[in-house]
Amino acid sequence: MNVDGRHYRTIWLKDSDPTVVQIIDQRHLPHEFVIEDLTSVEAVARAIKEMHVRGAGLIGATAGYGMAIAALHAPRTSPQAFMAALTAAGETLKATRPTAVNLEWAVKRQLSVIEAAGNDIEVKIQTAFDMAQTIADEDADFCRRIGQHGLPLIEAISRRKNGEPVNILTHCNAGWLAFVDYGTATAPIYAAHDQGVAVHVWVDETRPRNQGARLTAWELGQHGVPHTVIVDNVGGHLMQHGLVDLVITGTDRTTYTGDVANKIGTYLKALAARDNGLPFYVALPSSTFDWEMRDGLAEIPIEQRDGTEVSYIGGLHDDSIKTVRLTPATSPAANFAFDVTPARLVTGLITERGICDASEAGILGLFPDKKPSA
Ligand code: MRU
């Protein structure tokens, strides 16, 4: 996607030194566009944990590059010592954030190809860099295809409304900043906009870290997509008054039975959509399915983050970023970062292979090759 007219991905290798990974440090958006260099596994782990990068697909891609950096710095004394260092790096990366399954998926994928690459350490290192690139390229390509599969949903509503803008509500940031490019929930929106279909996006601010207000609003603005930022509790009211045609969100982990973990507050939007008879779609690449998990509510680990993200808020004031306290100094704050929307509330899943029902039969119908082991 373009920033000030120039194409960027969210993660890449530095042109002048391809052993350095570069990211957009999203903590500074929308007020500053900062590029950060990552040169060690510790720096990669910090970037994921402290949310310089975030969003399921990008967390996975960053872990992929993190494993490549780990390979570069691992001891070359023997293949065993090399693999032990990589396994330890994988554990460090996996411990950063628990909910997005792409993280674990990328680490496992790296370990298995590096292990299989023979005993020549140089070959193993090259394999790790190649795999990091493959994970990133696949993510971008899958998101582009999600856009193509989701586009007809928006076109159908547009036709029904005789070309009046299609109002789409989204939560958090499942845009290109959450992936390597295009995004998931936003991909059909960008595809529709680029084809001249009139769209308007209601952007949930998404407390406490405001990924909607800061990130989704910024990237839609960069792409010229009409949008309005709303506070998190407005969606139900808009739906009751006919001001939402469609809800599309992303997900950080979806069970093979269709239960969807996504940013806290998603479940309430799904309930409101159901009460108002509105379609609620979730867009995801296959890397975000958990092929081992059946029961989302019981099994998906829900990240709890520091309460200071709730009790403080940051923003631009007099040209500098300030953080201010919102709550009484003595009031404790709880910070559950994700919730689970049961499959029964999800109209459909938009994937790189097409749209399916949020059910075991629907998902495995589209991904028969992923059938979980009994
Ligand atoms: O805590 P984050 O910002 O990493 O959460 C991920 C999200 O942005 C959302 O839950 C998103 O809708 C998932 S799609 C990447």
Side-chain angles (χ1 to χ4, degrees):
M1 288 286 156
N2 289 345
V3 178
D4 294 332
R6 182 176 158 196
H7 179 261
Y8 281 91
R9 280 185 168 190
T10 50
I11 188 162
W12 63 92
L13 293 177
K14 192 172 184 167
D15 267 351
S16 57
D17 180 356
T19 65
V20 176
V21 173
Q22 293 194 299
I23 56 165
I24 300 166
D25 184 346
Q26 299 188 18
R27 295 171 306 164
H28 302 275
L29 289 172
H31 307 300
E32 286 174 67
F33 187 76
V34 175
I35 291 175
E36 183 183 358
D37 287 0
L38 302 175
T39 54
S40 68
V41 178
E42 292 68 31
V44 172
R46 196 176 325 114
I48 299 174
K49 194 174 177 60
E50 295 175 7
M51 297 175 69
H52 310 197
V53 289
R54 25 67 48 204
L58 180 54
I59 290 173
T62 307
Y65 281 112
M67 292 298 283
I69 291 181
L72 207 57
H73 300 296
R76 296 165 190 224
T77 42
S78 71
Q80 292 72 19
F82 180 86
M83 283 314 298
L86 279 182
T87 304
E91 293 305 316
T92 302
L93 292 170
K94 283 195 290 180
T96 52
R97 297 198 68 193
T99 304
V101 73
N102 299 59
L103 174 54
E104 197 182 314
W105 166 87
V107 168
K108 269 195 197 157
R109 198 167 168 189
Q110 276 285 29
L111 284 174
S112 105
V113 293
I114 299 168
E115 175 76 56
N119 285 336
D120 183 329
I121 304 283
E122 292 306 322
V123 173
K124 283 184 178 299
I125 294 170
Q126 190 54 48
T127 302
F129 273 88
D130 291 347
M131 180 48 77
Q133 191 62 39
T134 300
I135 289 172
D137 289 347
E138 260 181 28
D139 185 86
D141 182 50
F142 286 4
C143 286
R144 186 187 58 75
R145 290 202 245 162
I146 286 168
Q148 292 311 309
H149 291 302
L151 172 62
L153 294 174
I154 299 176
E155 288 175 320
I157 297 170
S158 171
R159 279 195 298 276
R160 212 175 61 223
K161 293 182 75 175
N162 295 318
E164 285 297 304
V166 178
N167 287 305
I168 302 155
L169 185 140
T170 193
H171 192 68
C172 197
N173 176 262
W176 72 270
L177 288 166
F179 292 84
V180 173
D181 211 343
Y182 301 98
T184 51
T186 53
I189 298 171
Y190 289 130
H193 174 80
D194 290 350
Q195 257 186 227
V197 177
V199 291
H200 166 262
V201 185
W202 295 111
V203 178
D204 281 353
E205 64 171 350
T206 321
R207 279 283 287 151
R209 288 188 66 109
N210 296 312
Q211 291 95 326
R214 295 191 305 107
L215 306 177
T216 305
W218 180 77
E219 60 163 271
L220 290 172
Q222 287 288 329
H223 202 78
V225 178
H227 62 280
T228 307
V229 179
I230 50 176
V231 297
D232 287 328
N233 296 323
V234 173
H237 169 80
L238 294 175
M239 292 179 199
Q240 286 174 320
H241 288 82
L243 295 170
V244 176
D245 297 304
L246 169 70
V247 182
I248 313 180
T249 74
T251 166
D252 298 272
R253 187 186 300 238
T254 290
T255 62
Y256 68 87
T257 56
D259 294 338
V260 169
N262 194 48
K263 184 53 59 184
I264 195 76
T266 303
Y267 170 52
L268 293 178
K269 296 300 140 64
L271 284 173
R274 174 57 55 94
D275 191 47
N276 288 280
L278 291 168
F280 179 95
Y281 280 90
V282 174
L284 73 163
S286 49
S287 51
T288 304
F289 281 110
D290 189 322
W291 302 106
E292 305 296 324
M293 264 186 203
R294 160 169 286 281
D295 182 343
L297 261 181
E299 296 177 80
I300 297 178
I302 299 296
E303 179 179 14
Q304 287 193 51
R305 297 183 60 85
D306 199 293
T308 53
E309 291 182 352
V310 176
S311 48
Y312 287 82
I313 194 161
L316 191 66
H317 182 66
D318 285 344
D319 283 339
S320 64
I321 309 284
K322 298 263 172 17
T323 300
V324 294
R325 180 154 197 127
L326 275 178
T327 59
T330 51
S331 295
N335 189 3
F336 295 88
F338 299 91
D339 60 24
V340 174
T341 299
R344 66 189 150 77
L345 297 177
V346 178
T347 310
L349 301 171
I350 312 171
T351 77
E352 76 269 16
R353 291 195 191 169
I355 299 182
C356 66
D357 280 349
S359 66
E360 184 171 351
I363 294 165
L364 294 178
L366 212 49
F367 294 93
D369 46 317
K370 307 281 189 189
K371 213 169 174 50
S373 41

